Amino acid sequence: MSNLLRDFEVEAKNPSLEARRRWRSAVSVVKNPARRFRNIPDLDKRAENETKRHQIQEKLRVAFYVQKAALQFIGAAGRPEYKLTDEVKEAGFSVEPDELASMVRNHDTRGLANNGGVVALAKKVSVSDLNEGVKSSELPIREKIFGENRYAEKPPRSFLMFVWEALQDITLIILMVCAVVSIGVGVATEGFPKGMYDGTGILLSILLVVMVTAISDYKQSLQFIDLDREKKKIIVQVTRDGTRQEISIHDLVVGDVVHLSIGDQVPADGVFISGYNLEIDESSLSGESEPSHVNKQKPFLLAGTKVQNGSAKMLVTTVGMRTEWGKLMETLVDGGEDETPLQVKLNGVATIIGKIGLSFAVLTFLVLCVRFVLEKATAGSFTNWSSEDALTLLDYFAISVTIIVVAVPEGLPLAVTLSLAFAMKKLMSDRALVRHLAACETMGSATCICTDKTGTLTTNHMVVNKVYICDNVHERQESFQLKLPEEVQSILLQGIFQNTGSEVVKDKDGDTQILGSPTERAILEFGLLLGGDFGEQRKEHKILKIEPFNSDKKKMSVLIALPGGGARAFCKGASEIVLKMCENVVDSNGETVPLTEELIKNISDVIEGFASEALRTLCLVYKDLDEAPSGDLPDGGYTMVAVVGIKDPVRPGVREAVETCQAAGITVRMVTGDNISTAKAIAKECGIFTEGGLAIEGSQFRDLPPHEMRAIIPKIQVMARSLPLDKHTLVSNLRKIGEVVAVTGDGTNDAPALHEADIGLAMGIAGTEVAKENADVIIMDDNFKTIVKVARWGRAVYINIQKFVQFQLTVNVVALIINFVSACITGSAPLTAVQLLWVNMIMDTLGALALATEPPNEGLMKRPPIARTASFITKTMWRNIAGQSVYQLIVLGTLNFAGKSLLDLNGPDSTAVLNTVIFNSFVFCQVFNEVNSREIEKINVFTGMFNSWVFTGVMVVTVVFQVIIVEFLGAFASTVPLTWQHWLLSILIGSLSMIVAVILKCIPVESSRQHHDGYDLLPSGPSSSNSA
């Protein structure tokens, strides 16, 4: 089948426009395009929105480079005047919302100066003290005057819209016309109400199909709405009511004081208050790749841009749709989610089978018509046509159209969406947010996970456990009793409280709270334990310059002014890197002495000792300067004060999760910025670093020639002291050797690796907005165990779709052949239009619900990953489809042609009874085959069946409705009530399909391969044979 599906191949990540257009043009025989392609993006509309987006970006570029310069020369007369409205005055504000929006959008520094600068502007938006921020009681009036920080969203579709969409099915429309005509002709020939039964039965069946389809699609849409809402959740830090708080981006109001740090998205338009080295990436808004430096001279910040470096506080001036980002977001509303490889592949399968089904339907209609005409000619009544003859031909046409309904497997590609929506909803409750549908599929094929250490394998609850200072090692008991000389203690506390990107604040209850990264919190807590006061330290010294922590340099520096003149630089970071910057050290007497080779060796041994105990080590150093340097802070000549060892315990259950991955054929590699000894100790504890594995430092790895790098990559289990570029290189090379790579990341600099990997996994707690934006999945709890859950669900989605395809193709084959052969031989079809519509609902909507939403079982993680080149419809599945189809065709064919004699049926209703038995047996064959389909390879199909309430519910509903149709709706469904013996026979025929399934599963079709734990490996054939 692979040759037929050549046009239906797309990449899982960033598929090409050519591939996406190719498969769309190859799709044919679609019953309901509105429903089939509801979740597939409209490429023309997307291109139109892209053009709009570029126009907005061009306009902004003009604003940045032309208006900004021009405004400096425009006098007051050239500026638009904004008259203060009564509503704004009464609310207590002194500036119009449009004036604020225009000023920031156009980078109007003169307009800001005319308003008195940022402090005066804050007062105009009723913020009297920037250290206090807005008052919570003022939020409603601010939202009323200046608007909410929300962007235009496409309104959710109502249930009736889904009903209307389900009615767009061309085959159902034809059947409705046939039903209406049938009612008209039937009443005219057979009278009322008898003449209405056939047509009314078709209409009722269509109504049932439409309602069940609409309900299923509507529930699915609600799941996607929930997921979309979760994706848009961004937390920002603000000062409100005098305290630092975390709030949702949607709760932001004009006047809020927002705290920005590296990797944050600027949440609204605003004005710079204070900060250090603030660099803003405006490419998402203007298309410009060069970062923009923001300071008091260039104070404007625009929503949607990203903080590339530095930190700052900003005053929010414009929110929501008044910002340019809001207008840009409006163009993305109809962007749609890219189609997944499985969706595309199954669209191809549906197209091929649809063409076959259409051919059979036309042939069936022609055969029935020709036989009917020949019979009339033989009887000599060829020239005598009645309304009953017209009704018969109409019935033939309805049956043929219904064969198309059954034969075109419209539900195949939609089942993928249903399964992914279900998996994404479940993963959300498991603390994983899937941002891109295809990632859920791809995770089932992952062969390698490159994971960070801190926060993912460890708890991220850090404490300083040991400290080396004044030539002594001190271990934490309840607290630290260091007894340091006063001068040393003063310098140590200065280094801790000045050289930090975090803050010590009081919460609403007056309790001390440390805000910042876990490492920073551990260092600040250490300073507080030593009796330090964060607020006093900050008041005593003015900060002149900050160089924030950088994952490339692995250090952070700050420059402060000393009260008596001069300046002091502090630096902290990776111990062995910062130690190389030192020339002196504080000795046991608190004196500064030169750093000799012997002292360097002693300190290095201490660092190695800390690291071997799985402690993260940081070196704290300082340097006194006569005057502040104009450029970067010095890189040498420092005095070492202390080495701290920070304990970060391994998360409970991580070792078991790593073992689960290894049993599933997934290699786990640790990529960390930590010391190699710390990394190896943690990796051993987690079960990642094993005998024969390789631990390597990033510097050593990046210096290797390409051929040597390729040779050692399969052996690498730990990479320490790595830079983000090393992670990207590792991921890129792993993909080149055929691995399907998942990689974790939390920092801004991890974005390239997250983008390069097959599955990018960003951390929800420690991750920056830049990292999350480039990720495919966000791990909300930063836990490695959650990554394993994503892999398990990825495999479940793939297997569930395979189960559904096997089940549906079996029904397709049997329904097509039994009706066609019967039409050719007997001149009538045993299954009527109403009956076929019911069968279609069993195999399509209900079948997808039952099989495509089954939860994963433990066996899924005891077999290797699904190969990229694996056949989707495997030889095993073809064996099961063929075997079940042959069994059902033999049984139903025997009943159709010899049923009356075998069942000893006599009397005028014998044909009706036989057709009802055939219909009943056919339905029960599908019910039991649905149970068979729960396991493609294993004989035991009942394991965990009752854990899936959806599956159980569908089975019960199907059987109950079948009883109602047969026993009570005979007039509409062309059935008659059956005796208990006939019911028993129907159930027995259906249940025998389970014995057939056992026999079939004993027939080997794949090469004999078995996992060490006894589980059969996933079948994976070459893509050139039987692949789909």
Side-chain angles (χ1 to χ4, degrees):
M1 192 179 266
S2 60
N3 291 333
L4 299 172
L5 290 172
R6 272 198 308 261
D7 292 334
F8 295 91
E9 296 286 344
V10 296
E11 287 293 315
K13 199 164 182 177
N14 306 316
S16 69
L17 183 63
E18 181 192 355
R20 285 183 286 173
R21 289 200 183 279
R22 186 173 61 240
W23 82 260
R24 282 167 172 77
S25 61
V27 170
S28 58
V29 195
V30 180
K31 296 186 296 183
N32 190 346
R35 180 169 181 254
R36 170 90 76 93
F37 301 120
R38 183 199 318 120
N39 295 310
I40 304 297
D42 183 329
L43 294 181
D44 293 331
K45 194 158 190 176
R46 182 180 273 189
E48 187 184 315
N49 286 336
E50 193 70 16
T51 304
K52 279 186 195 171
R53 192 163 69 84
H54 284 310
Q55 286 171 349
I56 293 172
Q57 286 183 328
E58 191 59 38
K59 179 180 153 192
L60 283 167
R61 195 179 285 114
V62 170
F64 291 165
Y65 295 104
V66 179
Q67 290 176 332
K68 194 164 38 170
L71 281 166
Q72 307 306 318
F73 302 100
I74 296 174
R79 296 174 184 279
E81 284 193 19
Y82 294 93
K83 188 180 177 185
L84 213 57
T85 61
D86 292 337
E87 186 182 24
V88 173
K89 283 180 187 172
E90 287 168 12
F93 304 114
S94 310
V95 63
E96 275 292 314
D98 289 339
E99 182 180 354
L100 286 172
S102 173
M103 180 173 62
V104 177
R105 181 172 59 243
N106 296 324
H107 287 55
D108 185 0
T109 49
R110 185 167 292 185
L112 179 61
N114 290 344
N115 276 289
V118 65
V119 175
L121 189 66
K123 288 177 180 172
K124 287 191 174 186
V125 292
S126 200
V127 178
S128 55
D129 185 349
L130 289 171
N131 292 320
E132 291 291 318
V134 303
K135 295 183 175 64
S136 298
S137 57
E138 299 171 352
L139 299 183
I141 192 67
R142 289 179 182 275
E143 288 184 346
K144 182 183 175 186
I145 301 297
F146 297 103
E148 295 183 26
N149 198 32
R150 294 180 182 273
Y151 309 121
E153 291 184 357
K154 197 175 179 181
R157 295 152 65 95
S158 67
F159 174 68
L160 289 177
M161 290 178 77
F162 285 97
V163 172
W164 175 247
E165 193 176 78
L167 282 167
Q168 304 301 303
D169 191 316
I170 187 69
T171 52
L172 294 185
I173 292 169
I174 293 170
L175 284 176
M176 282 188 277
V177 173
C178 291
V180 172
V181 174
S182 174
I183 290 170
V185 177
V187 170
T189 55
E190 299 179 31
F192 180 84
K194 190 180 177 185
M196 291 186 64
Y197 289 153
D198 287 347
T200 306
I202 292 173
L203 288 176
L204 288 173
S205 299
I206 289 170
L207 178 65
L208 184 62
V209 167
V210 166
M211 292 308 293
V212 170
T213 302
I215 290 167
S216 172
D217 290 352
Y218 180 61
K219 285 180 73 69
Q220 193 183 119
S221 79
L222 293 179
Q223 288 179 325
F224 279 119
I225 288 169
D226 287 344
L227 289 163
D228 199 47
R229 194 178 293 126
E230 199 69 31
K231 284 181 198 176
K232 291 173 182 172
K233 281 186 180 175
I234 296 175
I235 300 300
V236 293
Q237 290 202 350
V238 299
T239 296
R240 271 189 190 171
D241 301 318
T243 62
R244 185 98 163 250
Q245 302 176 18
E246 289 186 342
I247 63 165
S248 165
I249 190 173
H250 301 307
D251 296 331
L252 208 63
V253 294
V254 169
D256 265 323
V257 175
V258 176
H259 300 259
L260 298 172
S261 56
I262 294 178
D264 285 349
Q265 176 177 307
V266 178
D269 287 0
V271 181
F272 178 90
I273 299 170
S274 62
Y276 304 95
N277 299 352
L278 188 63
E279 290 181 13
I280 299 293
D281 175 9
E282 296 175 335
S283 58
S284 57
L285 204 56
S286 68
E288 284 297 322
S289 55
E290 281 297 310
S292 168
H293 293 269
V294 176
N295 47 45
K296 289 188 177 178
Q297 286 71 46
K298 296 194 292 182
F300 300 108
L301 292 142
L302 295 178
T305 56
K306 310 290 188 306
V307 180
Q308 192 166 309
N309 201 3
S311 59
K313 289 198 291 186
M314 67 170 261
L315 175 71
V316 174
T317 57
T318 318
V319 293
M321 291 306 295
R322 277 199 171 94
T323 65
E324 291 301 317
W325 183 247
K327 292 167 189 171
L328 200 64
M329 291 296 284
E330 197 173 16
T331 66
L332 304 177
V333 167
D334 291 320
E337 177 84 41
D338 279 333
E339 57 272 25
T340 74
L342 261 185
Q343 283 176 326
V344 173
K345 196 167 277 189
L346 290 182
N347 265 294
V349 174
T351 297
I352 294 165
I353 296 169
K355 288 176 180 176
I356 296 168
L358 182 61
S359 305
F360 267 86
V362 172
L363 276 173
T364 303
F365 180 65
L366 290 175
V367 168
L368 288 170
C369 288
V370 169
R371 281 188 63 100
F372 181 71
V373 170
L374 288 174
E375 283 173 8
K376 281 190 75 69
T378 306
S381 57
F382 186 73
T383 56
N384 183 23
W385 291 82
S386 65
S387 56
E388 285 186 10
D389 293 334
L391 205 57
T392 303
L393 289 172
L394 186 67
D395 189 41
Y396 290 163
F397 183 70
I399 288 169
S400 302
V401 172
T402 315
I403 286 173
I404 299 173
V405 173
V406 176
V408 179
E410 199 88 332
L412 283 184
L414 296 171
V416 180
T417 311
L418 174 69
S419 187
L420 287 170
F422 184 79
M424 287 164 75
K425 183 78 174 173
K426 290 292 182 184
L427 279 169
M428 196 160 71
S429 62
D430 282 341
R431 308 300 296 147
L433 175 62
V434 180
R435 295 185 72 248
H436 300 132
L437 279 173
C440 210
E441 275 179 27
T442 312
M443 199 65 192
S445 301
T447 58
C448 166
I449 299 174
C450 296
T451 176
D452 292 327
K453 174 187 77 73
T454 306
T456 309
L457 299 171
T458 60
T459 60
N460 222 7
H461 296 145
M462 300 190 190
V463 292
V464 174
N465 198 52
K466 286 188 175 182
V467 59
Y468 170 81
I469 190 167
C470 294
D471 204 24
N472 287 302
V473 173
H474 303 267
E475 189 166 357
R476 181 179 183 137
Q477 302 302 326
E478 290 297 315
S479 184
F480 281 101
Q481 303 295 327
L482 300 185
K483 297 179 181 175
L484 301 173
E486 190 177 333
E487 180 66 18
V488 176
Q489 174 116 347
S490 173
I491 291 173
L492 176 62
L493 291 177
Q494 278 180 24
I496 289 172
F497 292 128
Q498 301 291 350
N499 189 21
T500 179
S502 300
E503 284 189 61
V504 179
V505 298
K506 297 286 185 184
D507 61 18
K508 290 180 180 177
D509 301 323
D511 297 325
T512 299
Q513 188 180 7
I514 304 173
L515 301 171
S517 69
T519 307
E520 293 276 25
R521 288 203 300 266
I523 299 285
L524 286 175
E525 186 208 15
F526 172 56
L528 295 173
L529 284 174
L530 296 179
D533 187 312
F534 179 85
E536 286 300 316
Q537 284 283 353
R538 284 299 177 97
K539 284 176 188 173
E540 279 179 23
H541 302 94
K542 182 185 177 184
I543 294 177
L544 302 175
K545 188 177 288 187
I546 290 179
E547 289 182 359
F549 177 79
N550 183 296
S551 53
D552 289 326
K553 295 179 180 177
K554 301 203 178 296
K555 63 186 177 70
M556 175 185 184
S557 303
V558 67
L559 184 71
I560 64 169
L562 295 175
R568 181 172 286 166
F570 288 99
C571 179
K572 72 178 177 197
S575 298
E576 60 270 38
I577 293 172
V578 175
L579 183 60
K580 289 176 184 175
M581 298 163 56
C582 295
E583 292 179 357
N584 303 298
V585 64
V586 177
D587 69 4
S588 56
N589 299 316
E591 301 292 329
T592 300
V593 297
L595 198 58
T596 63
E597 287 297 323
E598 186 183 352
L599 283 172
I600 290 173
K601 184 181 181 304
N602 290 343
I603 295 167
S604 297
D605 289 343
V606 169
I607 292 169
E608 185 66 25
F610 282 9
S612 63
E613 295 175 33
L615 298 180
R616 186 178 211 178
T617 64
L618 289 179
C619 199
L620 309 182
V621 302
Y622 81 98
K623 180 179 184 177
D624 285 334
L625 303 163
D626 294 330
E627 59 181 5
S630 55
D632 292 339
L633 296 183
D635 279 333
Y638 285 86
T639 299
M640 199 203 84
V641 180
V643 175
V644 294
I646 300 173
K647 188 177 179 65
D648 186 11
V650 170
R651 283 181 182 271
V654 161
R655 189 181 183 89
E656 291 77 7
V658 169
E659 287 169 356
T660 300
C661 286
Q662 291 164 345
I666 302 170
T667 305
V668 182
R669 293 178 169 89
M670 180 200 286
V671 184
T672 178
D674 271 354
N675 175 296
I676 192 163
S677 299
T678 307
K680 282 162 71 174
I682 293 287
K684 279 180 183 173
E685 194 176 340
C686 296
I688 293 171
F689 190 45
T690 57
E691 194 174 337
L694 178 65
I696 191 170
E697 287 197 334
S699 56
Q700 185 184 345
F701 173 76
R702 77 181 79 100
D703 290 339
L704 290 172
H707 66 280
E708 285 186 35
M709 190 181 283
R710 292 272 181 91
I712 68 158
I713 274 176
K715 299 175 188 172
I716 292 176
Q717 292 178 339
V718 177
M719 188 185 289
R721 285 289 179 237
S722 67
L723 304 180
L725 181 62
D726 299 328
K727 187 187 280 189
H728 182 271
T729 306
L730 177 65
V731 169
S732 179
N733 279 285
L734 282 167
R735 293 188 73 205
K736 283 175 186 172
I737 62 174
E739 299 269 10
V740 180
V741 186
V743 66
T744 68
D746 51 20
T748 304
N749 293 334
D750 286 327
L754 291 168
H755 192 265
E756 171 69 20
D758 294 284
I759 312 104
L761 306 161
M763 299 298 107
I765 299 169
T768 63
E769 288 306 318
V770 172
K772 291 174 189 176
E773 197 174 83
N774 283 276
D776 303 295
V777 182
I778 298 172
I779 307 302
M780 308 293 282
D781 59 359
D782 292 13
N783 195 337
F784 185 80
K785 289 200 294 184
T786 305
I787 299 173
V788 179
K789 290 176 185 175
V790 178
R792 186 181 283 116
W793 270 105
R795 294 183 176 201
V797 166
Y798 190 90
I799 299 296
N800 285 348
I801 300 303
Q802 282 188 316
K803 295 175 190 175
F804 175 63
V805 168
Q806 177 182 292
F807 169 69
Q808 189 166 53
L809 292 190
T810 305
V811 186
N812 284 140
V813 170
V814 176
L816 277 178
I817 294 176
I818 194 74
N819 266 20
F820 177 69
V821 172
S822 179
C824 292
I825 297 173
T826 67
S828 65
L831 300 175
T832 67
V834 172
Q835 292 167 1
L836 281 172
L837 282 169
W838 169 234
V839 169
N840 178 67
M841 197 164 75
I842 292 172
M843 75 169 191
D844 199 326
T845 309
L846 294 178
L849 273 173
L851 293 169
T853 60
E854 282 220 278
N857 57 62
E858 289 305 314
L860 288 175
M861 297 303 282
K862 294 181 181 178
R863 46 173 72 179
I866 303 148
R868 271 177 165 166
T869 55
S871 311
F872 180 72
I873 303 180
T874 62
K875 292 176 184 175
T876 307
M877 290 168 68
W878 282 124
R879 176 200 66 193
N880 296 343
I881 291 165
Q884 289 292 344
S885 299
V886 168
Y887 164 71
Q888 291 183 28
L889 286 170
I890 290 171
V891 172
L892 298 176
T894 303
L895 284 175
N896 192 45
F897 299 115
K900 287 185 182 179
S901 57
L902 287 173
L903 300 178
D904 194 23
L905 296 175
N906 301 303
D909 65 342
S910 59
T911 302
V913 171
L914 178 62
N915 284 343
T916 304
V917 170
I918 291 171
F919 168 56
N920 211 31
S921 300
F922 180 56
V923 169
F924 275 101
C925 278
Q926 309 326 315
V927 169
F928 283 98
N929 195 37
E930 203 160 353
V931 178
N932 286 332
S933 297
R934 291 190 68 250
E935 285 291 349
I936 293 171
E937 298 168 359
K938 293 181 191 171
I939 289 173
N940 184 1
V941 294
F942 298 106
T943 306
M945 188 170 86
F946 297 104
N947 294 338
S948 174
W949 65 267
V950 178
F951 184 91
T952 311
V954 167
M955 292 293 99
V956 171
V957 167
T958 304
V959 172
V960 168
F961 261 82
Q962 181 64 17
V963 172
I964 292 170
I965 288 168
V966 170
E967 294 296 322
F968 306 108
L969 298 177
F972 302 104
S974 304
T975 60
V976 292
L978 297 177
T979 63
W980 69 267
Q981 291 96 335
H982 291 149
W983 272 104
L984 190 62
L985 176 67
S986 300
I987 295 168
L988 182 64
I989 289 169
S991 62
L992 282 174
S993 70
M994 301 192 78
I995 296 171
V996 172
V998 172
I999 296 167
L1000 288 170
K1001 286 170 185 175
C1002 294
I1003 302 171
V1005 288
E1006 304 280 352
S1007 57
S1008 179
R1009 297 169 301 131
Q1010 204 174 58
H1011 205 28
H1012 63 80
D1013 54 24
Y1015 281 84
D1016 291 333
L1017 298 189
L1018 269 179
S1020 60
S1023 56
S1024 56
S1025 65
N1026 293 331
S1027 69

